[in-house]
Amino acid sequence: MTLLDSDTGPAPLTFSVTRNLAAATTAEREEILANPGFGQKFTDHMVDICWSVNGGWHRPRVQPYGPISLDPAAAVLHYGQEIFEGIKAYRHEDGSIHTFRPDQNGRRLQRSARRLALPELPVEYFLQSLRELIAVDGAWVPSGADQSLYLRPFMFAKEAFLGVRPAQKVAYYLIASPAGAYFSGGVKPVSIWLSEDYARAGKGGTGAAKTGGNYAASLLPQSEAYENGCDQVVFLDQDRNVEELGGMNVVFVYKDGTIVTPESPSILEGITRDSILQLARDRGHKVEGRAVSLTEWREGVASGDIVEVFACGTAAVVTPIGVLKGADFLDEQPTGELALSLREELTDIQYGRREDTHGWLTRLDA
Ligand code: PLP
Ligand code: COI
């Protein structure tokens, strides 16, 4: 049963649908799907739903993908009141289209909304928006190996008002982008730069919310990572505990098989991480969510106690970490089989090649 079938939620919305008369031709779409990259090309349509203090959620629409008209005083442009999600649609062998744990993304969007003083979109509407977009743009879900349609729901303050208070007019949108591998090299170990000068989040801040400002704050340290020849940046908290990467969670594997991931109120609660940890528990691994200091990481690798380190997230799935580099050190990271075998198990479920024993898949095209 999906949440849409629930009889406790709000009544379904009725979307108006305006078809894109300039939609890509089949040949144009197929050329894009042959080599989609990540986040560069977009489908023919988008969904939007308005919200206002007085009207609640209203005017649900499916319309041609295209520029949004915004008042220059819209609060999001000044105070960054914005949140988003990342979730994928997968094409199965029989052609059907499924997504993975969308209730979790819907709930996380609500938690992010609470922290950013935005209205909470009912999870039923969130799910309905995914279905509405797939109903018109289902042909954009690619069928190649490791390909998917990356769905990007987002919400922002559109009220034209320069006073600093929660906006009274908000827009929710959903756009979609066919995706191949997030890292252009495919599944090869990534190098990580340790950010010492910059933090991503602080106690009581917005670290656990998926809000644009967190990513804006990560861009300068991410540039520092590139300057130092690294793919990604890892952040520490004020006590020098490991938090996460700019766009992925971190997981450590110990030699006794225990799997440890940093847990703190300022880390984004990753759905990929939660799923991977469940698969590891199913295999009999002990799993711990707790603080992991930089010292524990570096000493654990040096002593051989830590046997694998990997990053995980919707866009990047599971990616082994090959190197941790700081201003005055470079630690090669051990690599093993577990990260890749958990990646395979997870993607087998997502692509319908393995039984979905946890009931994680939701069909979107029926
Ligand atoms: N941490 C950050 C900062 C992220 O942007 C993401 C990606 O969404 C994750 C972790 C992983 O979350 P998920 O697995 O839900 O995609
Ligand atoms: C995701 O994995 O969905 C993310 O949001 C990470 C990044 C693309 C921002």
Side-chain angles (χ1 to χ4, degrees), residues 5-88:
D5 301 324
S6 149
D7 52 15
T8 54
L13 296 169
T14 303
F15 284 72
S16 70
V17 179
T18 308
R19 287 277 178 170
N20 187 346
L21 299 177
T25 63
T26 303
E28 286 165 347
R29 189 178 63 237
E30 278 171 4
E31 193 185 332
I32 292 169
L33 296 187
N35 192 9
F38 183 86
Q40 294 159 25
K41 301 285 182 184
F42 300 90
T43 63
D44 295 316
H45 298 87
M46 60 188 187
V47 169
D48 85 276
I49 313 176
C50 299
W51 179 89
S52 64
V53 167
N54 295 330
W57 294 105
H58 62 278
R59 211 175 67 177
R61 293 187 295 196
V62 176
Q63 51 172 326
Y65 182 92
I68 296 172
S69 152
L70 214 50
D71 192 293
V76 65
L77 301 176
H78 304 271
Y79 309 128
Q81 198 188 0
E82 187 268 357
I83 55 175
F84 68 96
E85 267 304 321
I87 179 168
K88 284 173 169 173

Side-chain angles (χ1 to χ4, degrees), residues 108 200 210 215 244 246-249 268 270-272 312-314:
R108 190 170 64 189
R200 175 185 175 275
K210 213 161 161 56
Y215 298 80
E244 59 185 316
M248 276 163 270
N249 293 118
L268 189 83
I271 296 157
T272 314
C312 56
T314 297

Side-chain angles (χ1 to χ4, degrees), residues 328-363:
D328 55 3
F329 71 90
L330 189 154
D331 292 350
E332 299 278 351
Q333 303 295 301
T335 48
E337 300 298 313
L338 190 64
L340 292 182
S341 99
L342 287 169
R343 179 192 169 102
E344 185 173 297
E345 185 172 348
L346 179 71
T347 53
D348 278 352
I349 295 169
Q350 291 169 332
Y351 288 91
R353 296 185 294 254
R354 185 187 287 251
E355 196 189 344
D356 172 26
T357 53
H358 293 285
W360 283 339
L361 295 184
T362 295
R363 188 163 177 184

Side-chain angles (χ1 to χ4, degrees), residues 13-165:
L13 296 169
T14 303
F15 284 72
S16 70
V17 179
T18 308
R19 287 277 178 170
N20 187 346
L21 299 177
T25 63
T26 303
E28 286 165 347
R29 189 178 63 237
E30 278 171 4
E31 193 185 332
I32 292 169
L33 296 187
N35 192 9
F38 183 86
Q40 294 159 25
K41 301 285 182 184
F42 300 90
T43 63
D44 295 316
H45 298 87
M46 60 188 187
V47 169
D48 85 276
I49 313 176
C50 299
W51 179 89
S52 64
V53 167
N54 295 330
W57 294 105
H58 62 278
R59 211 175 67 177
R61 293 187 295 196
V62 176
Q63 51 172 326
Y65 182 92
I68 296 172
S69 152
L70 214 50
D71 192 293
V76 65
L77 301 176
H78 304 271
Y79 309 128
Q81 198 188 0
E82 187 268 357
I83 55 175
F84 68 96
E85 267 304 321
I87 179 168
K88 284 173 169 173
Y90 307 90
R91 188 171 302 279
H92 288 192
E93 177 97 55
D94 65 1
S96 59
I97 300 169
H98 301 252
T99 193
F100 185 73
R101 306 187 74 183
D103 53 317
Q104 296 294 315
N105 293 84
R107 290 201 187 105
R108 190 170 64 189
L109 188 70
Q110 292 185 326
R111 293 198 296 278
S112 297
R114 276 201 286 284
R115 182 63 185 85
L116 271 291
L118 284 162
E120 289 177 41
L121 183 75
V123 173
E124 290 83 352
Y125 293 176
F126 175 81
L127 272 162
Q128 212 189 337
S129 72
L130 305 183
R131 289 184 197 283
E132 293 285 341
L133 193 62
I134 291 298
V136 289
D137 280 342
W140 284 91
V141 182
S143 53
D146 291 329
Q147 292 185 335
S148 59
L149 184 65
Y150 183 78
L151 301 163
R152 172 54 64 89
F154 60 105
M155 192 192 293
F156 59 87
K158 72 170 175 194
E159 184 187 0
F161 178 55
L162 296 183
V164 183
R165 59 141 170 78

